[in-house]
């Protein structure tokens, strides 16, 4: 697409005009992609209302790939603009689209936003959607964040299950982090043996968190 080349060369106005021409063509594949790219371009340049309109145009094309991504980007933009209700609605629509990649990502974002709003039940349900998707990137981070939230809420069974999912996912970052947090939880719950095992797994991973896990393990009471 010519507009992409213009955008890469810093020719924003020319790229904008080219994207608009493609959008107006109504091409079933290129038009929604152009609307999405125009939204990204306008957002980068601080034209948030224009970006909002462009993302919405991409959504309205109802393209199986471009529209869910545009809806996700619209949700992020609305959050940036302080429209939490619109952000939440956009993420829900992405989830409802059933897109295998964008749905789990939107569910994670939805969980985070609802948690920030104090809606713990809604956040838990959203995080669980992402976890249940089994997505290799978003399921582990959703499980980790669910574990943090449930630990803060003193839900031992829920926190343990969420952290264990993240650990067992083998994610290079969130598995060791979840293992470390799980060790902290076991300490708080008085289960020294389980805490030691959780910390040891983090140490064995070689992750940067290993030093913290080793120190925490050394501080455990000897049984």
């Amino acid at each position: 697409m010519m507009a992409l080349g213009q955008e890469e060369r810093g020719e924003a106005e020319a790229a904008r005009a080219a994207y608009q021409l493609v959008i107006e063509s109504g091409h079933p594949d290129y038009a929604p992609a152009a609307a999405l790219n125009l939204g990204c371009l306008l957002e980068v340049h601080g034209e948030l209302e224009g970006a909002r309109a462009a993302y919405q145009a991409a959504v309205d094309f109802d393209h199986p790939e471009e529209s869910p991504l545009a809806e996700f980007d619209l949700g992020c933009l609305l959050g940036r603009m302080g429209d939490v209700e619109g952000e939440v609605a956009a993420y829900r629509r992405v989830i409802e689209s059933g897109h295998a990649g964008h749905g789990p990502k939107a569910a994670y974002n939805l969980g985070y936003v609802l948690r920030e709003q104090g809606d713990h039940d809604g956040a838990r349900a959203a995080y669980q959607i992402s976890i249940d998707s089994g997505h290799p990137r978003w399921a582990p981070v959703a499980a980790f964040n669910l574990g943090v939230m449930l630990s803060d809420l003193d839900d031992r069974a829920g926190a343990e299950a969420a952290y264990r999912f993240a650990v067992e996912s083998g994610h290079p970052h969130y598995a060791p982090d979840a293992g470390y947090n799980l060790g902290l939880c076991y300490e708080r719950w008085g289960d020294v043996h389980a805490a030691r095992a959780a910390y040891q797994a983090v140490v064995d991973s070689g992750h940067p968190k290993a030093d913290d896990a080793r120190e925490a393990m050394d501080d455990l009471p000897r049984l």
Side-chain angles (χ1 to χ4, degrees):
M1 190 182 293
M2 180 178 66
L4 285 174
Q6 292 169 326
E7 187 175 347
E8 289 169 0
R9 293 192 298 272
E11 301 169 7
E13 288 302 321
R16 182 187 310 202
Y19 284 139
Q20 193 61 48
L21 284 173
V22 178
I23 294 167
E24 291 170 2
S25 76
H27 190 281
D29 293 320
Y30 296 145
L36 175 58
N37 287 343
L38 178 58
C40 294
L41 174 66
L42 294 174
E43 184 174 1
V44 165
H45 285 83
E47 298 183 38
L48 303 189
E49 286 298 340
R52 180 177 186 165
Y55 287 141
Q56 187 61 57
V59 170
D60 292 344
F61 278 108
D62 200 25
H63 189 275
E65 288 297 325
E66 307 294 351
S67 294
L69 177 54
E71 189 85 76
F72 177 82
D73 286 349
L74 178 60
C76 295
L77 175 64
L78 292 174
R80 181 181 172 189
M81 297 171 72
D83 182 357
V84 176
E85 183 177 345
E87 179 184 18
V88 166
Y91 292 147
R92 290 194 188 282
R93 287 191 293 269
V94 180
I95 295 167
E96 290 166 3
S97 76
H99 192 282
H102 305 314
K105 178 170 60 173
Y108 166 73
N109 275 26
L110 178 61
Y112 183 87
V113 171
L114 293 177
R115 178 187 172 194
E116 290 294 299
Q117 296 298 308
D119 181 358
H120 297 118
D121 288 340
R124 183 173 192 162
Y127 282 140
Q128 194 63 53
I129 290 170
S130 189
I131 292 167
D132 291 344
S133 75
H135 192 281
R137 177 177 178 184
W138 296 108
V141 64
F144 176 82
N145 279 307
L146 178 59
V148 171
M149 184 184 79
L150 295 180
S151 174
D152 290 343
L153 294 172
D154 292 323
D155 180 345
R156 174 172 177 168
E160 184 176 15
Y163 280 140
R164 286 213 167 275
F165 180 94
V167 169
E168 292 167 7
S169 74
H171 190 280
H173 176 68
Y174 289 105
D177 275 359
Y180 178 76
N181 278 20
L182 190 56
L184 293 176
C185 286
Y186 282 134
E187 275 197 76
R188 193 169 80 240
W189 299 331
D191 192 338
V192 175
H193 287 297
R196 190 179 303 280
Y199 289 140
Q200 187 63 58
V202 179
V203 170
D204 293 343
S205 74
H207 186 268
K209 205 73 176 177
D211 289 340
D212 292 336
R214 187 177 294 106
E215 183 177 338
M217 192 163 55
D218 289 343
D219 290 339
L220 289 172
R222 303 294 176 183
L223 298 178

